[in-house]
Amino acid sequence: MNLFRLCGDALHLMSILLLVTKIHKSKSCAGVSCRMQEMYAVVFCCRYLDLFWSFISLYNTCMKLVLMTTTFYLIWLMRCKTPVCQTYDRSQDCFQHELYFFGPCLVLGLICAEEYTIPEILWSASIWVESVAIVPQLVLLQKAREVENLTSDFVGTMGAYRAFYILNWIYRYFAEDFVNVVGWIGGLVQTALYCDFFYYYAKSKWYGNKLVL
Protein backbone atom coordinates (compact mmCIF):
# COMPACT_ATOMS: atom_id res chain seq x y z
CA MET A 1 0.00 0.00 0.00
CA ASN A 2 1.38 3.42 -0.97
CA LEU A 3 0.27 7.02 -0.62
CA PHE A 4 -1.11 7.25 -4.18
CA ARG A 5 -3.32 4.18 -3.63
CA LEU A 6 -4.56 5.55 -0.29
CA CYS A 7 -5.37 8.94 -1.85
CA GLY A 8 -7.16 7.24 -4.74
CA ASP A 9 -9.27 5.12 -2.39
CA ALA A 10 -10.04 8.16 -0.23
CA LEU A 11 -11.16 10.17 -3.27
CA HIS A 12 -13.33 7.30 -4.52
CA LEU A 13 -15.04 7.04 -1.15
CA MET A 14 -15.35 10.83 -0.92
CA SER A 15 -17.05 10.98 -4.32
CA ILE A 16 -19.71 8.51 -3.18
CA LEU A 17 -20.23 10.36 0.11
CA LEU A 18 -20.63 13.62 -1.82
CA LEU A 19 -23.36 12.01 -3.89
CA VAL A 20 -25.14 10.53 -0.87
CA THR A 21 -24.94 13.96 0.84
CA LYS A 22 -26.37 15.72 -2.20
CA ILE A 23 -29.30 13.33 -2.48
CA HIS A 24 -30.14 13.36 1.23
CA LYS A 25 -29.79 17.14 1.49
CA SER A 26 -31.87 18.01 -1.56
CA LYS A 27 -34.19 14.96 -1.56
CA SER A 28 -33.47 14.91 -5.27
CA CYS A 29 -31.27 12.92 -7.65
CA ALA A 30 -31.72 15.31 -10.57
CA GLY A 31 -28.59 15.37 -12.71
CA VAL A 32 -27.29 12.06 -11.34
CA SER A 33 -27.10 8.99 -13.56
CA CYS A 34 -28.47 5.85 -11.95
CA ARG A 35 -27.19 3.93 -14.97
CA MET A 36 -23.65 4.89 -14.02
CA GLN A 37 -24.24 3.52 -10.52
CA GLU A 38 -25.64 0.32 -12.04
CA MET A 39 -22.46 -0.09 -14.07
CA TYR A 40 -20.36 0.34 -10.94
CA ALA A 41 -22.54 -2.23 -9.16
CA VAL A 42 -21.69 -4.69 -11.95
CA VAL A 43 -18.00 -3.76 -11.65
CA PHE A 44 -17.92 -4.41 -7.91
CA CYS A 45 -19.91 -7.66 -8.09
CA CYS A 46 -17.56 -9.03 -10.76
CA ARG A 47 -14.33 -7.78 -9.21
CA TYR A 48 -14.93 -8.52 -5.54
CA LEU A 49 -15.96 -12.16 -5.80
CA ASP A 50 -12.74 -12.97 -3.95
CA LEU A 51 -14.38 -11.73 -0.75
CA PHE A 52 -15.87 -15.23 -0.50
CA TRP A 53 -12.54 -17.06 -0.40
CA SER A 54 -9.66 -14.62 0.02
CA PHE A 55 -8.64 -12.29 2.85
CA ILE A 56 -5.96 -9.71 2.01
CA SER A 57 -6.37 -7.22 4.85
CA LEU A 58 -9.06 -5.65 7.02
CA TYR A 59 -8.66 -2.40 5.07
CA ASN A 60 -9.13 -4.16 1.74
CA THR A 61 -12.22 -6.06 2.90
CA CYS A 62 -13.84 -2.99 4.48
CA MET A 63 -13.24 -0.83 1.40
CA LYS A 64 -14.79 -3.44 -0.89
CA LEU A 65 -17.86 -3.85 1.34
CA VAL A 66 -18.33 -0.09 1.75
CA LEU A 67 -18.07 0.57 -2.00
CA MET A 68 -20.54 -2.21 -2.83
CA THR A 69 -23.01 -1.27 -0.08
CA THR A 70 -23.06 2.46 -0.84
CA THR A 71 -23.42 1.87 -4.59
CA PHE A 72 -26.42 -0.41 -4.14
CA TYR A 73 -27.82 2.06 -1.62
CA LEU A 74 -27.61 4.87 -4.19
CA ILE A 75 -29.39 2.71 -6.78
CA TRP A 76 -32.13 1.95 -4.24
CA LEU A 77 -32.53 5.65 -3.42
CA MET A 78 -32.86 6.64 -7.07
CA ARG A 79 -35.04 3.74 -8.17
CA CYS A 80 -37.26 3.08 -5.15
CA LYS A 81 -37.04 5.59 -2.29
CA THR A 82 -39.73 8.30 -2.19
CA PRO A 83 -39.40 11.25 -2.70
CA VAL A 84 -35.96 10.83 -4.31
CA CYS A 85 -37.14 8.37 -6.96
CA GLN A 86 -39.81 10.84 -8.08
CA THR A 87 -37.05 13.23 -9.18
CA TYR A 88 -35.22 10.61 -11.26
CA ASP A 89 -35.71 11.40 -14.95
CA ARG A 90 -35.54 8.10 -16.82
CA SER A 91 -36.14 9.83 -20.14
CA GLN A 92 -32.89 11.82 -19.75
CA ASP A 93 -30.81 9.07 -18.15
CA CYS A 94 -31.38 6.76 -21.08
CA PHE A 95 -27.92 5.68 -22.26
CA GLN A 96 -28.25 1.97 -23.05
CA HIS A 97 -25.20 0.59 -21.27
CA GLU A 98 -26.57 -2.95 -21.48
CA LEU A 99 -26.65 -2.65 -25.28
CA TYR A 100 -23.39 -0.83 -26.01
CA PHE A 101 -21.00 -1.84 -23.23
CA PHE A 102 -21.72 -5.08 -21.39
CA GLY A 103 -21.35 -7.41 -24.37
CA PRO A 104 -18.11 -5.89 -25.72
CA CYS A 105 -16.63 -5.68 -22.21
CA LEU A 106 -17.35 -9.36 -21.61
CA VAL A 107 -15.68 -10.23 -24.93
CA LEU A 108 -12.63 -8.14 -23.95
CA GLY A 109 -12.67 -9.88 -20.58
CA LEU A 110 -12.48 -13.25 -22.33
CA ILE A 111 -9.69 -12.11 -24.64
CA CYS A 112 -7.60 -10.41 -21.95
CA ALA A 113 -8.01 -12.86 -19.07
CA GLU A 114 -4.71 -14.37 -17.93
CA GLU A 115 -6.48 -17.58 -16.88
CA TYR A 116 -9.72 -18.98 -18.25
CA THR A 117 -11.49 -19.21 -14.91
CA ILE A 118 -14.78 -17.48 -14.11
CA PRO A 119 -13.30 -15.16 -11.42
CA GLU A 120 -10.42 -14.13 -13.70
CA ILE A 121 -12.69 -13.50 -16.71
CA LEU A 122 -15.13 -11.45 -14.59
CA TRP A 123 -12.25 -9.48 -13.05
CA SER A 124 -10.89 -8.69 -16.52
CA ALA A 125 -14.36 -7.72 -17.79
CA SER A 126 -14.87 -5.46 -14.76
CA ILE A 127 -11.80 -3.42 -15.75
CA TRP A 128 -13.34 -2.66 -19.14
CA VAL A 129 -16.79 -1.93 -17.69
CA GLU A 130 -15.27 0.53 -15.20
CA SER A 131 -13.29 2.23 -17.98
CA VAL A 132 -16.56 3.37 -19.60
CA ALA A 133 -18.82 3.53 -16.51
CA ILE A 134 -18.69 7.35 -16.46
CA VAL A 135 -20.23 7.62 -19.95
CA PRO A 136 -23.93 7.60 -18.85
CA GLN A 137 -23.17 10.39 -16.36
CA LEU A 138 -21.31 12.47 -18.94
CA VAL A 139 -24.13 12.02 -21.46
CA LEU A 140 -26.65 13.15 -18.84
CA LEU A 141 -24.55 16.21 -17.96
CA GLN A 142 -24.27 17.14 -21.63
CA LYS A 143 -28.05 17.10 -21.88
CA ALA A 144 -28.45 19.22 -18.74
CA ARG A 145 -25.70 21.66 -19.81
CA GLU A 146 -25.73 23.51 -16.44
CA VAL A 147 -24.49 21.28 -13.61
CA GLU A 148 -25.06 21.64 -9.87
CA ASN A 149 -21.92 22.19 -7.78
CA LEU A 150 -22.20 18.98 -5.75
CA THR A 151 -22.81 16.93 -8.89
CA SER A 152 -19.79 18.44 -10.63
CA ASP A 153 -17.70 17.88 -7.47
CA PHE A 154 -18.79 14.23 -7.45
CA VAL A 155 -17.70 13.68 -11.06
CA GLY A 156 -14.50 15.68 -10.55
CA THR A 157 -13.58 13.62 -7.48
CA MET A 158 -14.22 10.40 -9.41
CA GLY A 159 -11.80 11.59 -12.09
CA ALA A 160 -9.20 12.53 -9.48
CA TYR A 161 -9.52 9.06 -7.93
CA ARG A 162 -8.62 7.47 -11.26
CA ALA A 163 -5.71 9.91 -11.77
CA PHE A 164 -4.22 8.88 -8.42
CA TYR A 165 -4.59 5.22 -9.35
CA ILE A 166 -2.51 5.88 -12.46
CA LEU A 167 0.17 7.45 -10.23
CA ASN A 168 -0.10 4.35 -8.03
CA TRP A 169 0.58 2.11 -11.04
CA ILE A 170 3.55 4.21 -12.10
CA TYR A 171 4.98 4.04 -8.58
CA ARG A 172 4.47 0.28 -8.35
CA TYR A 173 6.05 -0.26 -11.76
CA PHE A 174 9.29 1.40 -10.68
CA ALA A 175 9.26 0.28 -7.03
CA GLU A 176 7.90 -3.26 -7.40
CA ASP A 177 8.18 -4.11 -11.13
CA PHE A 178 4.39 -4.39 -11.06
CA VAL A 179 2.79 -4.86 -14.50
CA ASN A 180 -0.96 -4.86 -15.18
CA VAL A 181 -1.48 -4.04 -18.84
CA VAL A 182 -5.26 -4.56 -18.81
CA GLY A 183 -5.69 -2.30 -15.79
CA TRP A 184 -3.41 0.33 -17.28
CA ILE A 185 -5.26 0.51 -20.58
CA GLY A 186 -8.65 0.57 -18.85
CA GLY A 187 -7.48 3.33 -16.52
CA LEU A 188 -6.13 5.43 -19.37
CA VAL A 189 -9.39 5.06 -21.32
CA GLN A 190 -11.37 6.10 -18.25
CA THR A 191 -9.13 9.10 -17.57
CA ALA A 192 -9.31 10.20 -21.22
CA LEU A 193 -13.10 10.27 -21.01
CA TYR A 194 -12.84 12.81 -18.17
CA CYS A 195 -10.55 15.23 -20.03
CA ASP A 196 -13.24 17.45 -21.56
CA PHE A 197 -15.18 17.53 -18.30
CA PHE A 198 -12.05 18.46 -16.32
CA TYR A 199 -11.38 21.44 -18.58
CA TYR A 200 -14.82 22.95 -17.88
CA TYR A 201 -14.70 21.86 -14.22
CA ALA A 202 -11.37 23.59 -13.60
CA LYS A 203 -12.60 26.66 -15.48
CA SER A 204 -15.76 26.88 -13.36
CA LYS A 205 -13.77 26.55 -10.11
CA TRP A 206 -11.22 29.15 -11.23
CA TYR A 207 -13.91 31.74 -11.99
CA GLY A 208 -16.24 30.67 -9.17
CA ASN A 209 -19.13 29.92 -11.51
CA LYS A 210 -21.51 27.02 -11.88
CA LEU A 211 -20.28 24.39 -14.31
CA VAL A 212 -21.74 24.79 -17.80
CA LEU A 213 -20.85 22.25 -20.51
Side-chain angles (χ1 to χ4, degrees), residues 1-210:
M1 185 70 68
N2 59 71
L3 183 61
F4 299 120
R5 167 74 184 274
L6 285 171
C7 288
D9 287 345
L11 286 165
H12 195 177
L13 186 58
M14 187 187 302
S15 70
I16 294 175
L17 293 178
L18 280 170
L19 194 52
V20 172
T21 299
K22 166 197 157 47
I23 291 175
H24 276 285
K25 185 177 179 180
S26 64
K27 305 296 182 185
S28 168
C29 62
V32 179
S33 172
C34 186
R35 287 179 171 266
M36 173 190 173
Q37 299 303 320
E38 289 167 354
M39 290 187 73
Y40 267 101
V42 171
V43 169
F44 296 145
C45 286
C46 291
R47 189 176 299 171
Y48 297 157
L49 285 175
D50 63 346
L51 282 171
F52 291 106
W53 62 78
S54 176
F55 179 80
I56 299 173
S57 67
L58 181 62
Y59 170 83
N60 183 275
T61 299
C62 289
M63 278 298 296
K64 289 177 178 179
L65 290 173
V66 168
L67 290 174
M68 289 181 70
T69 303
T70 50
T71 299
F72 279 104
Y73 176 64
L74 284 167
I75 294 170
W76 175 75
L77 282 176
M78 288 187 272
R79 292 286 188 185
C80 306
K81 177 64 174 176
T82 305
V84 176
C85 66
Q86 296 171 336
T87 65
Y88 176 55
D89 190 347
R90 290 169 174 77
S91 64
Q92 290 294 308
D93 188 25
C94 58
F95 186 87
Q96 295 179 294
H97 52 49
E98 68 280 3
L99 178 62
Y100 296 113
F101 288 151
F102 287 154
C105 288
L106 181 58
V107 172
L108 285 171
L110 284 165
I111 294 171
C112 300
E114 292 184 3
E115 301 175 4
Y116 283 100
T117 62
I118 291 176
E120 179 64 27
I121 291 169
L122 290 178
W123 180 90
S124 180
S126 77
I127 296 296
W128 300 112
V129 174
E130 185 179 15
S131 72
V132 292
I134 191 62
V135 170
Q137 181 66 64
L138 294 177
V139 170
L140 183 61
L141 294 182
Q142 286 287 346
K143 291 179 180 179
R145 304 298 295 175
E146 190 172 282
V147 185
E148 293 181 10
N149 287 333
L150 273 176
T151 304
S152 64
D153 289 342
F154 155 67
V155 179
T157 308
M158 284 291 292
Y161 133 70
R162 180 45 63 184
F164 268 95
Y165 256 68
I166 290 176
L167 294 175
N168 163 60
W169 293 330
I170 294 171
Y171 171 83
R172 292 188 66 188
Y173 175 75
F174 288 105
E176 307 169 14
D177 290 326
F178 174 78
V179 176
N180 179 12
V181 176
V182 174
W184 293 349
I185 295 173
L188 289 172
V189 169
Q190 187 177 7
T191 305
L193 289 172
Y194 281 97
C195 287
D196 183 62
F197 171 86
F198 268 134
Y199 168 75
Y200 290 102
Y201 180 70
K203 188 177 177 181
S204 71
K205 290 301 181 184
W206 180 263
Y207 291 107
N209 299 325
K210 184 175 284 190

